[in-house]
Amino acid sequence: ANGYIPFTIGRERGAWETVTNRLRGYSDENFGKYIGRLQELGIIDSSVKAQTVKKIASEAFNFEPKGRVDKLSRTWAGKATRKIFETYQAEDDMFKIIHFQKTMDDMKKWNLGLSNDALEEMAAARTRDLMPNYALVPKTVKYLRRSPLSDFAAWPAEVTRVSKNILKYAYNDASGRTLKQLQKQGFDISPEAAEAIRGQGYRRSAGLITASMAGDALQNYTMNMFGLGQEDVYNINRLSPSWSQDTAKVFLSPINEDKNKHIGVNFINLGPIDPFSYLKAPARMLVSHLKS
């Protein structure tokens, strides 16, 4: 959705290498400084889902020194649990590092004449604005984790914030607003740099449209492939569990009958892997009811 292909090749310090070395416990002076700089910029250790789980656990159990949980953490089971958590966090870190590195590459084309540290601050600000970040979840939403109904309210809150920011940045970059803001700050922007800024906006717009529409496009394609109509999909959604209703689905079969004479259809639910599903599902539900 940010307009970036989520991998890097040929870098001196790639995102994959960074997170795997950190998981292995490898470090030297330069690597330690790099990790410290990423933490200072708010790039890593800010996974919304991982930090939510950690906060819930810390409120549910006593983690004081010499406490039961502290003793458990010294056992092989405790060490394995900690490594699982670090791996869960590392997946989020890897994509944020990639976003940060690619944003830096884009901003270098702007030729602003800034130091590397100042450019890193600008790139990090965009990464924090455009990727879910636990540190930016409002305190009111974080407090909801103490409610049994709202353990994971932080994630949809961040998806909403990020979605708004992706739209804003895409429009500002493509329309020339970013260019005007930089000029007001005293930067002399060359025609080549102006074109690079607009190109970044166009690329983000295309990425956002693709990410938003891909699930629906796959659903419509597989509906046609297996002869399913809108009414069939409406009924499938109404018969599905509530968490699976009105999410994008990739159908793997026509309506069929299994060996137990049960009528059904095979599909993959894209809702759990689509970060925009929180925003799209209510709209889809409204449209499907209107159509019915």
Side-chain angles (χ1 to χ4, degrees):
N2 274 289
Y4 294 134
I5 299 172
F7 61 82
T8 55
I9 298 174
R11 288 187 175 274
E12 180 183 356
R13 184 177 278 116
W16 173 253
E17 179 190 4
T18 298
V19 297
T20 52
N21 283 345
R22 199 175 179 212
L23 282 171
R24 287 162 47 202
Y26 167 82
S27 186
D28 59 28
E29 185 177 357
N30 289 332
F31 186 74
K33 286 181 177 178
Y34 181 63
I35 292 297
R37 180 60 172 160
L38 292 175
Q39 289 173 326
E40 180 186 14
L41 294 168
I43 303 297
I44 61 174
D45 297 339
S46 59
S47 166
V48 177
K49 292 185 177 180
Q51 294 302 322
T52 299
V53 171
K54 186 177 182 180
K55 290 294 183 182
I56 291 170
S58 68
E59 287 167 359
F61 304 102
N62 180 11
F63 280 81
E64 294 297 320
K66 298 184 180 180
R68 183 169 294 180
V69 175
D70 181 60
K71 292 177 182 177
L72 178 64
S73 69
R74 302 169 194 269
T75 66
W76 68 267
K79 291 176 181 176
T81 302
R82 176 171 294 184
K83 192 58 65 175
I84 290 169
F85 175 82
E86 290 173 355
T87 304
Y88 191 43
Q89 173 70 67
E91 181 240 1
D92 183 79
D93 289 346
M94 183 177 72
F95 289 113
K96 285 180 180 167
I97 293 170
I98 291 172
H99 189 286
F100 171 66
Q101 290 175 341
K102 288 180 177 284
T103 304
M104 278 285 290
D105 290 344
D106 276 337
M107 287 186 165
K108 285 175 182 176
K109 298 173 185 175
W110 299 2
N111 297 320
L112 300 178
L114 295 172
S115 66
N116 196 64
D117 284 352
L119 211 58
E120 285 180 346
E121 294 283 353
M122 289 180 67
R126 284 204 166 203
T127 300
R128 292 193 301 269
D129 282 349
L130 298 169
M131 298 285 279
N133 191 309
Y134 187 75
L136 299 177
V137 177
K139 289 182 180 179
T140 307
V141 176
K142 288 180 179 178
Y143 188 80
L144 287 174
R145 68 172 176 265
R146 301 182 184 189
S147 158
L149 301 177
S150 306
D151 276 351
F152 296 95
W155 175 249
E158 272 301 275
V159 167
T160 304
R161 181 187 71 88
V162 165
S163 300
K164 180 262 294 181
N165 284 340
I166 292 176
L167 283 168
K168 182 185 76 173
Y169 276 102
Y171 176 75
N172 287 351
D173 290 352
S175 68
R177 285 194 174 188
T178 302
L179 174 62
K180 291 177 182 177
Q181 289 169 1
L182 290 169
Q183 288 172 335
K184 283 182 180 179
Q185 294 170 23
F187 292 109
D188 183 20
I189 309 297
S190 67
E192 293 78 15
E195 189 59 35
I197 294 171
R198 280 193 292 271
Q200 192 172 346
Y202 296 144
R203 195 171 69 237
R204 181 168 284 115
S205 300
L208 177 60
I209 291 168
T210 301
S212 301
M213 304 283 292
D216 298 274
L218 281 170
Q219 174 170 299
N220 289 334
Y221 179 80
T222 53
M223 281 171 58
N224 292 329
M225 181 184 295
F226 293 110
L228 298 172
Q230 291 291 348
E231 187 176 350
D232 296 321
V233 174
Y234 176 83
N235 291 328
I236 289 165
N237 278 316
R238 301 290 72 77
L239 292 168
S240 295
S242 59
W243 48 265
S244 180
Q245 291 185 16
D246 299 295
T247 57
K249 297 171 176 62
V250 176
F251 293 101
L252 304 177
S253 75
I255 294 174
N256 54 39
E257 187 179 276
D258 66 14
K259 62 183 180 182
N260 296 317
K261 305 297 181 182
H262 295 149
I263 303 298
V265 64
N266 303 333
F267 64 80
I268 298 170
N269 177 21
L270 296 181
I273 62 171
D274 179 3
F276 297 105
S277 186
Y278 289 100
L279 302 175
K280 291 191 290 187
R284 255 199 222 100
M285 184 176 291
L286 176 62
V287 171
S288 65
H289 281 297
L290 289 173
K291 282 184 176 180
S292 72

